[in-house]
Amino acid sequence: MAEIVILDSPNAAGELVAGAITDLLAARPDAVLGLATGSTPLPVYSALERRVRERDLDLSAVRGFALDEYVGLPEGHPESYRAVITRDVVEPLGLSPANVHVPRGSLEGIATAGDDYERAILAAGGIDLQLLGIGTVGHVGFNEPGSSLASLTRVKTLTAQTRRDNARFFASADDVPMHCITQGLGTILRARHVVLLAFGSGKAPAVAAAVEGPVSASHPGSVIQLHPHATVVLDEEAASELREVDYYRYVWENKPAWQRI
Ligand code: PGA
């Protein structure tokens, strides 16, 4: 069972996860991070940025692998995840661009892009800590409902709901690409530590199904139940539909001081 941590605010969640990443980097400055896009991980990146500024945290040796990318956007499109990762992560945190990988979403070579990405992750020694958001449809990465629990990086078709959810970054939902390339659920399961964040009441049903529902390809987020080291970090609203919320708080409040997330 994943560890469930319920905090007052996204900023508190960002601090907690930035702390875990700081500890990881103290042990291994060239650790491999799995990077998520979307609104959810931004508090983590902001908290890391503060640490880079104030406490001399150095991420220049970190290696990064993004979860996913749109297929078919023109190179350099501001909403391509390559551009988003550059803007939100690489530049503010001082990562070396050459160390940060994003699945290749250009149509040319798309048939082999998934296998190439898997090989690159393996060559880096695997992902140490994978950040995840969760979509209102229950997706993690762009693994939409129906994704194989054993899937590896490949091309997927976005649901109409995901395209609506992401329309805020484009002129309209119709401008959101139809296809994406995403790490698979099997890829995510190979990461050594998975940290899923979710904030706001809109995510509460997806979180409850992922944490307490049956493990099912119909709810891809439920794959975290198969992971030996998964941490779910929520604000009160995102936790509001969990049944065992008192127990999760009790476990967190009584967590040994020496034990980290
Ligand atoms: P969000 O997206 O962080 O922008 O809410 C999460 C997701 O779709 O996985």
Side-chain angles (χ1 to χ4, degrees):
M1 162 101 209
E3 175 174 42
I4 315 299
V5 184
I6 303 163
L7 299 173
D8 289 344
S9 66
N11 283 344
E15 284 298 333
L16 180 77
V17 177
I21 292 172
T22 303
D23 291 345
L24 172 65
L25 296 181
R28 195 133 51 88
D30 67 344
V32 181
L33 298 182
L35 302 166
T37 47
S39 309
T40 304
L42 295 179
V44 177
Y45 301 143
S46 301
L48 285 172
E49 190 183 349
R50 265 195 306 283
R51 286 163 191 250
V52 169
R53 271 203 320 266
E54 291 168 12
R55 287 206 230 157
D56 252 357
L57 177 66
D58 180 4
L59 286 94
S60 60
V62 163
R63 291 161 301 154
F65 284 88
L67 270 172
D68 43 19
E69 176 60 289
Y70 293 112
V71 168
L73 285 181
E75 174 134 12
H77 190 289
E79 294 308 330
S80 71
Y81 284 173
R82 164 63 75 183
V84 172
I85 288 280
T86 300
R87 209 161 54 226
D88 290 351
V89 181
V90 174
E91 288 172 350
L93 302 187
L95 272 69
S96 165
N99 288 345
V100 178
H101 306 260
V102 180
R104 250 189 0 257
S106 56
L107 288 173
E108 195 189 343
I110 193 68
T112 53
D115 289 347
D116 291 347
Y117 204 62
E118 290 293 326
R119 267 195 297 278
I121 293 173
L122 290 176
I127 291 171
D128 291 303
L129 187 150
Q130 176 67 59
L131 295 171
L132 294 177
I134 186 166
T136 56
V137 296
H139 72 202
V140 286
F142 271 145
N143 294 281
E144 301 285 38
S147 294
S148 160
L149 299 176
S151 50
L152 301 178
T153 306
R154 76 253 182 260
V155 171
K156 291 289 289 180
T157 305
L158 295 174
T159 61
Q161 181 61 47
T162 296
R163 294 178 77 217
R164 278 195 295 274
D165 286 348
N166 287 8
R168 66 191 193 279
F169 300 114
F170 292 83
S172 75
D174 287 340
D175 291 304
V176 179
M178 180 67 78
H179 297 109
C180 64
I181 176 166
T182 180
Q183 284 189 35
L185 297 175
T187 318
I188 290 167
L189 284 178
R190 289 176 181 172
R192 285 183 273 281
H193 184 192
V194 168
V195 179
L196 186 150
L197 299 112
F199 308 123
S201 55
K203 297 292 176 73
V207 166
V211 172
E212 295 178 336
V215 175
S216 165
S218 299
H219 195 79
S222 65
V223 78
I224 59 165
Q225 296 179 42
L226 297 174
H227 197 283
H229 187 187
T231 308
V232 177
V233 186
L234 307 170
D235 64 3
E236 299 284 348
E237 290 79 12
S240 60
E241 294 192 23
L242 291 169
R243 280 190 310 271
E244 302 297 336
V245 69
D246 292 343
Y247 176 65
Y248 307 139
R249 288 190 209 282
Y250 167 86
V251 171
W252 179 246
E253 281 160 14
N254 292 293
K255 185 163 173 137
W258 46 264
Q259 200 180 41
R260 307 211 175 264
I261 65 166

